[in-house]
């Protein structure tokens, strides 16, 4: 199985360790992973701001980079949501359709495609609170949603449940948006920061030592808010825990 | 619809009823001279500057700078959301009901002419006088004319978002008609000369100390007494006589049933009945989208409305008004005011399915933290973001950006409006019609060009040598660098993933 690894721009710049963990984890499960060198971004920042025309060339580049892979995997629900559900600036050719249908967020890829049943190398003896990115939750459906009357499930919880020693703790408003929101985080800075601070307080109150998520973008924002408030909570991407990183 | 929780029996954090700090015992409070500190002043809504785009963020910032108001507002609305969640768990067929409600609305909206004609025919047969108004001005002048013909100088009315939309109170003031709101929350807002901040709980942004202040100024009550029963009684004592001697009454309309020609209004205070039945003249103000086919479909909406809005199974009163009482007159003014145009908007027409339950506001994390008045428009919160621009594209061009598009609104909406997707669609429409600030547009142009070129993109990373060098492009392009106002900067690693990969695996991806 040939997998193209997509490392979103902020992961590339701020959290290279997340890209590394994702790569190693996929290799542990026998995937033939390649990192196309010409990748930049999925186009989400522009589309998110209403500027679809401005994201067209970026989307085209993305398709050129990834069209030849069986699957495309990224450690980011919001980018994958953009590609799968909002990738409309480009003409919908067969290549584009292939890319849109075969791009997966890491957790759902492990859960639904690889159907993994364990991470024998992983151990994380800590209290952990899970944060589901809103796009991963409501766009990709990686877990059931508190607003809907539906059967409860959670793909990230299933995976974290296979990690030795890890104890999941609940926060009071699990599905509440943390206020990152892409360009919202800078254009509507005050509301964004306040939402992030409220989220960070809720996480700290739960007794979690670590917060984990399949999205680095939300966590980058939450971590910045927690630090500003002087809270001790630490933030770690789910790929690192599943890949057996010791802290 | 309305509720009576404006002066909820909670005390603002750190205060007792009489305003003394809560951590002092009575004795300690008496022996220590306390610096006089009044209650936290109420943050006001968005500053309106003619037709200039609303600065929601500016108003939100002021709201968030008032900690007691913020904490109360967020928690009160979150409680409503949680109660709503509880109700949805009780109803096994909840998601089917949402689908059904959505389907009924879609069907009705696509056969609007048929149902409106049926409704009119049946209403007339019931003895009702039916009027058609194409816009706000026509609505106001029709009502003024009805009142003039009856020589009515005072009007009691129950809550109606449509009348807010029409600037009705101002129009009546000009026509020399005294209007008295009969919904408690709406009455508070009227006395404070402020718009409702929420479609269901119009004064939810006010602490009871704010209410005490408003009543002290307008009703002459004790400014230092913010006891709930006291405030309610003061208001009642003052308003009842006005209600009893009013010349005419007005209600809004939650549902207009085509099959029976009747109008249904849901309240918790019974004030629609008061408004409709106290005088000999009942005027109903109704938007064309309020129509539903029959009583069977009404049953679906009655099950959804209050559960979604307040998390209670049903409103205290579900009042059916079918025709005039003996010796009385009943008029229905059916209003378009932009709705037909909205119906023609391919991506946005389904916003007309809205039953104004306010669930999307209660769940919206931005709304809860900024207050409904920060939107500077009749409709606030998620539903406001997608319908306000249909009233004035320029003035409300900023509103669709006051959202993280997290999608919770869409999930709670009882009629399944894809609210967050329409917010995204509005952003596109606004950007394409030059209704976003030029700096945003040029930032996105530059970002788009950079991200489309791997060479330029990579070259841009190590070039800049400052703390900002690795910030994501959209942050870097924002000259103001607002990120650090409320947050710390992320740690900047020594090398990017890209550099690490190249160093350890080479261009061919083979491990070194
Ligand atoms: S958009 Fe939906 S959730 Fe919001 S007020 Fe209307 S019906 Fe209620």
């Amino acid at each position: 199985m040939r997998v193209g690894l997509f490392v979103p721009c902020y992961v590339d710049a701020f959290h290279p360790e997340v890209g590394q963990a994702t790569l190693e984890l996929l290799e542990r499960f026998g995937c033939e992973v390649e990192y196309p060198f010409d990748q930049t971004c999925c186009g989400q920042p522009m589309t998110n701001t209403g500027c679809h025309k401005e994201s067209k060339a970026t989307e085209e580049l993305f398709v050129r980079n990834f069209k030849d892979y069986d699957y495309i995997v990224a450690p980011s629900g919001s980018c994958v949501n953009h590609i799968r559900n909002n990738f409309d600036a480009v003409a919908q050719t067969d290549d584009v359709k292939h890319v849109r249908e075969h791009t997966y967020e890491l957790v759902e890829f492990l859960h639904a495609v690889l159907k993994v049943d364990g991470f024998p190398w992983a151990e994380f003896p800590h209290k952990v609170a899970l944060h589901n990115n809103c796009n991963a939750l409501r766009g990709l459906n990686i877990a059931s949603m508190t607003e809907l009357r539906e059967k409860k499930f959670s793909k990230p919880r299933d995976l974290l449940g296979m990690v030795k020693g890890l104890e999941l703790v609940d926060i009071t408003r699990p599905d509440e948006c943390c206020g990152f929101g892409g360009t919202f985080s800078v254009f509507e800075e005050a509301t964004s920061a306040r939402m992030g601070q409220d989220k960070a307080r809720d996480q700290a109150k739960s007794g979690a030592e670590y917060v984990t998520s399949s999205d680095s973008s939300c966590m980058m924002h939450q971590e910045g808010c927690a630090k500003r408030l002087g809270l001790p909570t630490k933030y770690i991407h789910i790929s690192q825990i599943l890949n057996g990183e010791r802290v | 619809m309305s509720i009576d929780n404006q002066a909820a029996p909670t005390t603002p954090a750190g205060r007792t009823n009489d305003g003394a700090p809560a951590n002092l015992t009575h004795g300690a409070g008496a022996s220590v001279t306390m610096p006089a500190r009044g209650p936290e002043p109420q943050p006001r809504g968005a500053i309106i500057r003619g037709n200039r785009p609303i600065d929601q963020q500016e108003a939100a910032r002021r709201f968030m700078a008032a900690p007691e108001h913020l904490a109360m507002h967020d928690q009160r609305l979150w409680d409503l959301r949680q109660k709503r969640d509880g109700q949805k768990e009780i109803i096994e067929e909840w998601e089917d009901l949402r689908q059904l409600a959505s389907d009924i609305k879609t069907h009705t909206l696509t056969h609007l002419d048929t149902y409106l004609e049926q409704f009119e025919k049946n209403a007339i047969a019931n003895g009702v006088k039916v009027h058609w108004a194409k816009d706000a001005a026509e609505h106001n002048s029709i009502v003024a004319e009805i009142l003039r013909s009856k020589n009515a100088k005072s009007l009691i009315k129950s809550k109606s978002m449509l009348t807010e939309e029409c600037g009705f109170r101002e129009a009546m003031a000009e026509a020399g008609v005294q209007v008295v709101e009969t919904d408690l929350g709406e009455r508070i807002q009227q006395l404070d000369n402020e718009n409702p901040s929420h479609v269901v709980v119009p004064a939810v942004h006010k602490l009871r100390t704010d209410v005490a202040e408003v009543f002290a100024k307008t009703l002459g009550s004790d400014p230092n007494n913010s006891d709930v029963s006291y405030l309610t009684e003061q208001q009642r004592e003052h308003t009842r006589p006005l209600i009893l001697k009013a010349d005419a009454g007005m209600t809004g309309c939650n549902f207009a049933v085509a099959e029976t020609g009747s109008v249904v209004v849901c309240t918790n205070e019974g004030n629609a009945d008061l408004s409709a039945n106290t005088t000999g003249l009942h005027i109903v103000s109704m938007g064309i989208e309020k129509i539903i086919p029959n009583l069977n479909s009404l049953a679906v909406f009655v099950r959804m409305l209050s559960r979604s809005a307040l998390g209670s199974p049903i409103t205290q009163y579900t009042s059916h008004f079918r025709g005039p009482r003996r010796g009385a007159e009943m008029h229905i003014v059916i209003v378009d005011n932009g709705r037909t145009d909205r119906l023609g908007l391919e991506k946005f027409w389904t916003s007309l399915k809205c039953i104004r339950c306010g669930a999307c506001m209660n769940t919206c994390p931005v709304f809860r933290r900024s207050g409904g008045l920060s939107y500077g428009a009749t409709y606030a919160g998620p539903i406001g973001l997608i319908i306000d621009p249909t009233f004035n594209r320029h003035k409300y061009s900023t509103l669709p950006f006051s959202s993280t598009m997290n999608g919770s609104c869409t999930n709670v909406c009882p009629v399944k409006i894809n609210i967050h997707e329409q917010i995204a669609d509005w952003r596109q429409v606004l950007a394409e019609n030059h209704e976003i600030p030029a700096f945003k547009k040029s930032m996105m142009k530059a970002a788009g060009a950079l991200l489309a070129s791997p060479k330029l993109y990579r070259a841009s990373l190590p070039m800049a040598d400052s703390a900002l060098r690795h910030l994501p492009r959209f942050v870097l392009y924002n000259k103001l660098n607002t990120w650090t106002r409320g947050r710390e900067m992320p740690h900047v690693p020594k090398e990017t993933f890209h550099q690490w990969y190249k160093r350890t695996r080479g261009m061919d991806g083979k491990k070194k």
Side-chain angles (χ1 to χ4, degrees):
Chain A
M1 184 190 292
R2 279 184 77 222
V3 173
L5 175 65
F6 171 46
V7 179
C9 57
Y10 55 87
V11 174
D12 177 56
F14 291 111
H15 293 288
E17 70 281 4
V18 172
Q20 292 158 19
T22 305
L23 172 63
E24 285 172 19
L25 190 56
L26 292 170
E27 285 174 345
R28 281 184 196 264
F29 287 108
C31 299
E32 196 187 313
V33 189
E34 278 174 38
Y35 168 78
F37 257 71
D38 280 351
Q39 59 180 282
T40 58
C41 164
C42 63
Q44 189 182 196
M46 287 78 78
T47 305
N48 191 295
T49 314
C51 299
H52 289 235
K53 279 196 203 98
E54 284 66 25
S55 79
K56 184 164 177 271
T58 306
E59 290 185 1
E60 283 167 352
L61 174 67
F62 187 91
V63 174
R64 278 202 301 281
N65 279 321
F66 288 102
K67 65 180 179 8
D68 296 327
Y69 294 99
D70 299 327
Y71 291 98
I72 300 109
V73 177
S76 162
S78 78
C79 302
V80 172
N81 179 58
H82 173 71
I83 295 156
R84 194 178 300 165
N85 298 326
N86 300 317
F87 212 66
D88 298 324
V90 274
Q92 301 297 304
T93 61
D94 286 346
D95 282 344
V96 172
K97 280 187 208 144
H98 171 80
V99 164
R100 292 183 67 166
E101 282 162 21
H102 293 85
T103 300
Y104 281 79
E105 180 272 330
L106 176 66
V107 164
E108 49 170 14
F109 187 71
L110 295 170
H111 201 276
V113 180
L114 297 183
K115 298 189 172 54
V116 301
D117 55 9
F119 304 91
W121 48 81
E123 190 176 344
F124 203 74
H126 301 283
K127 286 190 171 163
V128 176
L130 173 67
H131 173 74
N132 285 327
N133 161 285
C134 294
N135 290 319
L137 183 67
R138 302 192 185 89
L140 304 178
N141 219 344
I142 61 162
S144 55
M145 298 162 253
T146 49
E147 299 96 356
L148 300 182
R149 194 183 202 286
E150 59 179 349
K151 211 165 149 273
K152 302 279 171 280
F153 70 94
S154 169
K155 294 174 187 175
R157 271 180 182 267
D158 286 353
L159 299 184
L160 291 169
M162 299 174 198
V163 175
K164 211 190 299 164
L166 188 145
E167 185 193 337
L168 277 167
V169 295
D170 293 322
I171 65 169
T172 58
R173 299 185 188 184
D175 286 0
E176 173 103 319
C177 173
C178 72
F180 175 67
T183 49
F184 180 86
S185 66
V186 286
F187 291 139
E188 317 278 327
E189 161 275 325
T191 320
S192 171
R194 176 70 206 200
M195 285 165 68
Q197 293 180 358
D198 287 348
K199 176 62 83 180
R201 281 194 204 95
D202 196 2
Q203 290 162 340
K205 242 185 16 222
S206 74
E209 303 162 66
Y210 285 87
V211 170
T212 194
S213 171
S214 56
D215 252 87
S216 299
S217 55
C218 300
M219 283 205 297
M220 182 170 80
H221 160 72
Q222 292 168 20
E223 187 173 11
C225 293
K227 272 196 190 148
R228 174 59 57 92
L229 295 172
L231 297 170
T233 324
K234 292 178 282 253
Y235 293 79
I236 185 168
H237 193 270
I238 197 167
S239 62
Q240 297 171 265
I241 296 181
L242 300 179
N243 192 39
E245 194 164 310
R246 303 283 194 270
V247 290
Chain B
M1 207 172 115
S2 59
I3 77 157
D4 49 354
N5 83 337
Q6 300 318 146
T10 49
T11 307
R15 327 210 112 242
T16 55
N17 274 348
D18 54 8
N23 57 353
L24 290 180
T25 63
H26 209 75
S31 62
V32 177
T33 342
M34 292 298 302
R37 191 175 82 89
E40 182 180 274
Q42 185 200 322
R44 295 292 168 176
I47 298 161
I48 310 292
R49 296 186 176 90
N51 201 39
R52 296 249 295 274
I54 300 288
D55 190 349
Q56 194 268 346
Q57 187 64 173
E58 184 276 329
R61 206 174 277 134
R62 279 187 282 109
F63 192 78
M64 289 184 287
E68 290 176 13
H69 283 82
L70 173 62
M72 172 279 300
H73 190 256
D74 174 60
Q75 194 57 46
R76 203 178 267 179
L77 294 176
W78 180 253
D79 286 347
L80 293 182
R81 156 77 208 277
Q82 287 201 299
K83 283 195 196 144
R84 172 250 172 229
D85 285 358
Q87 285 295 327
K88 145 279 277 187
E89 285 306 322
I90 297 171
I91 311 285
E92 203 176 314
E93 65 275 29
W94 182 259
E95 298 303 332
D96 294 337
L97 277 180
R98 287 178 71 222
Q99 190 58 51
L100 197 54
S102 169
D103 291 347
I104 294 169
K105 279 288 182 181
T106 305
H107 166 81
T108 320
L109 287 168
T110 45
H111 299 81
L112 205 50
D113 48 347
T114 319
Y115 285 114
L116 280 168
E117 276 167 26
Q118 188 191 358
F119 176 80
E120 179 187 35
K121 196 171 120 258
N122 289 332
I124 291 172
N126 295 338
V128 175
K129 298 206 166 84
V130 178
H131 312 256
W132 297 85
K134 70 171 187 309
D135 56 21
E138 209 167 281
H139 164 266
N140 295 343
S141 67
I142 289 170
V143 177
E145 181 52 33
I146 299 171
L147 294 175
R148 204 194 49 76
S149 72
K150 295 278 152 198
N151 201 23
K153 290 280 171 216
S154 62
L155 177 77
I156 47 173
K157 68 180 279 287
S158 68
K159 204 165 110 27
S160 147
M161 288 310 293
L162 177 58
T163 57
E164 298 293 332
E165 201 182 299
C166 293
F168 180 69
R169 283 206 301 257
E170 294 76 21
M172 287 303 104
E174 270 169 37
V177 176
Q178 183 197 29
V179 175
V180 176
E181 296 286 347
T182 55
D183 172 276
L184 176 56
E186 193 68 35
R187 178 69 177 155
I188 294 169
Q189 290 309 93
Q190 182 186 21
L191 291 173
D192 198 20
N193 201 15
E194 205 175 49
N195 290 331
S197 72
H198 185 290
V199 293
V200 175
V201 278
V204 69
H205 60 295
K206 277 185 162 69
L207 292 171
R208 58 190 193 169
T209 45
D210 302 327
V211 178
E213 196 182 311
V214 174
F215 284 4
K217 269 191 209 143
T218 51
L219 310 179
S221 62
D222 176 2
N224 297 314
N225 192 344
S226 60
D227 177 72
V228 179
S229 323
Y230 171 76
L231 290 173
T232 320
E233 202 180 299
Q234 288 296 309
Q235 193 281 139
R236 189 187 165 93
E237 290 297 311
H238 185 268
T239 311
R240 278 288 146 149
L242 298 176
I243 293 174
L244 292 177
K245 66 177 199 325
D247 301 325
M250 179 181 237
T251 65
C253 161
N254 287 96
F255 305 102
V257 185
E259 141 187 280
T260 58
S262 58
V263 162
V264 179
V265 188
C266 307
T267 74
N268 278 318
E269 297 168 20
N271 59 307
D273 302 78
L274 203 59
S275 304
N277 296 334
T278 312
T279 76
L281 175 60
H282 176 198
I283 304 169
V284 178
S285 211
M286 158 193 157
I288 55 169
E289 85 286 14
K290 294 292 174 189
I291 203 95
I292 54 172
N294 47 40
L295 289 171
N296 278 348
S297 42
L298 176 69
V300 174
F301 293 106
V302 169
R303 291 187 77 193
M304 306 294 284
L305 179 60
S306 193
R307 287 193 166 93
S308 300
L310 303 166
S312 63
I314 194 165
T315 45
Q316 298 291 333
Y317 296 83
T318 302
S319 311
H320 297 239
F321 299 104
R322 194 166 184 147
R325 301 189 323 280
R326 196 172 306 139
E329 262 184 39
M330 182 170 164
H331 295 253
I332 300 177
V333 188
I334 304 175
V335 187
D336 186 319
N337 203 30
R339 285 161 174 74
T340 316
D341 291 342
R342 208 179 300 153
L343 200 55
L345 299 174
E346 195 198 330
K347 284 181 175 165
F348 306 114
W349 70 273
T350 57
S351 62
L352 285 162
K353 292 192 293 183
C354 176
I355 58 171
R356 308 275 188 264
C357 72
C360 56
M361 301 175 183
N362 302 345
T363 201
C364 177
V366 175
F367 183 91
R368 270 188 271 110
R369 285 172 184 80
S370 42
L373 298 175
S374 68
Y375 298 81
T378 301
Y379 299 98
I383 181 65
L385 304 188
I386 61 174
I387 58 178
D388 292 329
T390 66
F391 290 106
N392 186 332
R393 204 170 270 203
H394 183 63
K395 187 170 176 183
Y396 303 125
S397 58
T398 46
L399 295 186
F401 294 88
S402 298
S403 164
T404 61
M405 301 195 287
N406 62 75
S408 186
C409 47
T410 299
N411 276 355
V412 296
C413 179
V415 287
K416 298 187 88 161
I417 301 172
N418 57 336
I419 308 174
H420 74 296
E421 289 170 1
Q422 291 194 29
I423 294 172
D425 289 337
W426 266 115
R427 290 185 181 186
Q428 185 179 0
V429 168
L430 293 165
E432 280 167 10
N433 289 284
H434 312 289
E435 288 287 7
I436 68 170
F439 82 94
K440 244 189 207 183
K441 185 84 175 180
S442 54
M443 248 166 84
M444 290 304 142
K445 263 215 170 90
L450 196 74
L451 292 167
S453 159
K455 264 212 194 89
L456 286 179
Y457 173 66
R458 286 291 150 200
S460 77
L461 283 179
M463 243 161 39
D465 194 23
S466 73
L468 291 182
R469 72 188 173 114
H470 283 316
L471 270 181
R473 315 314 303 171
F474 56 83
V475 181
L476 184 57
Y477 279 107
N478 188 347
K479 284 199 197 79
L480 302 168
N481 185 21
T482 53
W483 182 271
T484 51
R485 275 196 208 141
R487 289 162 289 220
E488 297 300 320
M489 291 284 283
H491 160 80
V492 182
K494 275 204 289 295
E495 58 184 356
T496 63
F497 175 84
H498 193 86
Q499 289 164 332
W500 171 84
Y501 191 91
K502 202 167 171 182
R503 181 169 62 77
T504 59
R505 305 209 170 189
M507 295 290 279
D508 55 2
K510 296 276 174 317
K511 272 190 194 161
K512 282 185 178 166

